[in-house]
Amino acid sequence: MRILHTSDWHLGRTFHGRVLDDAHAALADHLVELVTAEAVDAVLVAGDVYDRAIPPNDAVALLDETLRRLTERTRVVLTPGNHDSARRLGFAADLMREGLIIRARTAGLDRGIILPDADGNEAAIVHALPYLDPDAAREILPPLLTERLGEETPAKHTTGEGRTEGKDGDASSQPGPPERPRLPRSHEAVVSAALRLVAADLDRLRAGRSRRLPSLLMAHAFVVGGEACESERDIRVGGVDSVPSGVFTTLGGSALAERSGGLDYVALGHLHRPQELTRPAGPRLVYSGSPLPFSFDEAEGARNSATKSSVLLDLGADGVTGLERIPTPVLHQVRTLTGTMPELLSPAFDDATGAWVRVILQGERPPGALATLKERFPDLLAFQHEAPTRTARERIAVTAAADPLRITEDFFDDVCGRAPEPSERGVLRSAYESALASARSER
């Protein structure tokens, strides 16, 4: 069976103010062509389909059209990420046709999806976890754990909220009513609980079969060991964001982890850098990464070892039999240019005049430098200046006895990184003498 794993489309996003609609449209065309050319049996989209909870109309229209085209050719399983609104993305999910499955509700995360191969035979099991916000999921999951696993989550009692009056009218504190059972407030706790539910369902789905079905899990999370990019939204809340990679091997500490046969592949979303987390045992933990760069550091990485891509996965009864990263099309060239002003204006950077550019200017910054660079690179989107390192020098104490002109020149040197030229000294002297004359006239 052949699976295409992708995530973090972020439809509706901009790149330093530049709209990415054309790049997203090219991505949609690429995915449709890839599904057809590679005979893909299912596409897994592991969260952050949109860039924000209320996406722009054009982004909604593009997703609608993209899903229509994909489901005409294959099946699509889609989950919301931390950027998406699970309620909006999952609207009417139960009414959708067989080719499109959206798992947006926490209550349904342990309903395994059995995917058929091209011949219609049952070929793989997918459990699709929506993004589990710790504050919400810690309350939603305990009743499911009790109902389906018989697992009781301790409930804390409030204190000091109930008060009763004694015979003599004195008030005494009584324990308040018990709170609803809650898991610890961490992503590790809620993902582990979800995996224990998955383990029970996986055990049920595999029981009694003459042939083992490979198992895939979709999750949107920051797994310990993953390398982040600057464009990802921080999901940390008091340090509760990370999930240890080992929970996917133990299925959250489930007693059924071994009997269920375990997971074979975890299709991860959230981190934008394509990467696979190395583990001595257990399922393969793979981030497809975002298919487009959303920051300059991502674009720089894409030209080196972290090419923007999706993952083409082959599965057999024993699990993963093949994994290939398919590069996504690059519509806009993105460059970071570093150098002194003469270097940046030299022919060495002529090939970047049509790119989306970040300039890191080293050394002195002459007057009008930014305007000159914008003329040189019309799509200059970000600018940094790395001032030259200056040797420590003696500071002049500002006292009544100090020479005001020497203090002014020292200040000029400190701000501009160089001593004033003779013509500039003349301007400073003229300004000083004018100030003196004005002060005398007011006496």
Side-chain angles (χ1 to χ4, degrees):
M1 186 174 194
R2 180 157 282 186
I3 301 287
L4 183 65
H5 165 205
T6 179
S7 71
D8 296 274
W9 294 358
H10 289 276
L11 300 178
R13 186 155 186 156
T14 60
F15 186 100
H16 289 265
R18 297 301 172 93
V19 176
L20 291 171
D21 288 356
D22 56 347
H24 275 125
L27 168 66
D29 292 340
H30 164 74
L31 293 176
V32 170
E33 292 167 4
L34 183 60
V35 162
T36 303
E38 297 293 340
V40 170
D41 296 299
V43 177
L44 309 184
V45 188
D48 281 353
V49 181
Y50 291 126
D51 188 57
R52 51 186 182 271
I54 304 179
N57 291 336
D58 289 345
V60 176
L62 179 58
L63 179 62
D64 181 63
E65 175 67 9
T66 303
L67 293 179
R68 182 192 63 77
R69 295 169 67 193
L70 287 173
T71 53
E72 287 175 351
R73 295 161 172 82
T74 189
R75 284 173 172 77
V76 177
V77 183
L78 183 150
T79 59
N82 57 297
H83 281 248
D84 301 304
S85 164
R87 183 176 295 274
R88 289 186 175 88
L89 195 63
F91 172 74
D94 292 340
L95 304 177
M96 293 178 181
R97 55 187 173 178
E98 182 184 2
L100 175 61
I101 302 169
I102 298 178
R103 287 291 167 84
R105 298 176 184 171
T106 303
L109 58 79
D110 61 343
R111 296 192 343 247
I113 304 160
I114 298 182
L115 296 176
D117 59 18
D119 298 323
N121 300 313
E122 295 181 342
I125 302 170
V126 175
H127 285 91
L129 306 187
Y131 171 68
L132 298 173
D133 177 74
D135 286 324
R138 66 192 293 234
E139 294 188 1
I140 297 171
L141 288 170
L144 301 179
L145 294 169
T146 301
E147 175 190 342
R148 299 173 191 180
L149 304 180
E151 182 179 316
E152 297 292 338
T153 304
K156 296 181 179 179
H157 286 262
T158 58
T159 56
E161 293 184 2
R163 299 180 69 85
T164 60
E165 298 228 348
K167 291 182 180 179
D168 298 328
D170 61 318
S172 60
S173 296
Q174 298 292 331
E179 294 182 348
R180 288 185 296 178
R182 290 182 181 178
L183 295 166
R185 184 174 173 270
S186 73
H187 212 180
E188 177 182 357
V190 297
V191 170
S192 294
L195 289 171
R196 293 196 294 276
L197 291 167
V198 167
D201 190 60
L202 186 59
D203 182 55
R204 177 184 65 83
L205 291 173
R206 277 180 168 157
R209 292 182 180 272
S210 59
R211 184 174 65 90
R212 181 184 186 273
L213 295 184
S215 170
L216 300 94
L217 180 92
M218 299 169 64
H220 195 88
F222 175 63
V223 180
V224 174
E227 186 179 354
C229 296
E230 66 183 24
S231 66
E232 294 142 8
R233 180 175 296 166
D234 197 344
I235 59 174
R236 286 173 291 187
V237 184
V240 301
D241 68 312
S242 60
V243 178
S245 59
V247 302
F248 298 100
T249 301
T250 66
L251 288 173
S254 171
L256 298 172
E258 185 174 353
R259 194 177 84 179
S260 71
L263 303 171
D264 294 296
Y265 183 87
V266 180
L268 292 167
H270 178 59
L271 297 185
H272 292 178
R273 191 180 302 280
Q275 56 197 292
E276 180 171 355
L277 306 188
T278 303
R279 281 191 52 75
R284 298 185 70 166
L285 307 178
V286 178
Y287 282 99
S288 66
S290 62
L292 301 178
F294 300 119
S295 64
F296 280 100
D297 78 318
E298 284 183 62
E300 293 300 300
R303 289 205 302 277
N304 299 316
S305 60
T307 301
K308 291 299 180 181
S309 58
S310 52
V311 178
L312 193 60
L313 187 69
D314 288 311
L315 296 169
D318 295 328
V320 178
T321 59
L323 190 153
E324 180 185 3
R325 289 197 176 271
I326 308 297
T328 51
V330 178
L331 205 62
H332 300 286
Q333 187 186 15
V334 179
R335 297 280 302 276
T336 294
L337 312 178
T338 303
T340 63
M341 198 67 179
E343 289 170 344
L344 292 168
L345 298 179
S346 73
F349 291 102
D350 284 351
D351 62 340
T353 55
W356 289 357
V357 166
R358 171 175 64 179
V359 166
I360 301 175
L361 175 61
Q362 297 177 324
E364 293 187 11
R365 177 178 175 175
L370 185 55
T372 302
L373 289 169
K374 283 184 176 180
E375 184 177 353
R376 163 76 158 145
F377 307 108
D379 291 314
L380 192 156
L381 306 182
F383 175 79
Q384 296 172 225
H385 178 220
E386 294 180 353
T389 303
R390 284 173 253 168
T391 57
R393 54 186 176 77
E394 182 183 355
R395 297 286 181 178
I396 297 176
V398 181
T399 65
D403 180 2
L405 281 175
R406 178 69 189 279
I407 293 172
T408 304
E409 291 178 6
D410 189 60
F411 177 77
F412 185 101
D413 190 1
D414 192 56
V415 171
C416 300
R418 62 177 177 83
E421 297 177 358
S423 60
E424 293 166 332
R425 284 195 177 93
V427 173
L428 294 175
R429 179 173 294 279
S430 176
Y432 172 60
E433 291 174 350
S434 177
L436 283 179
S438 177
R440 294 191 193 99
S441 66
E442 292 175 359
R443 292 176 183 173

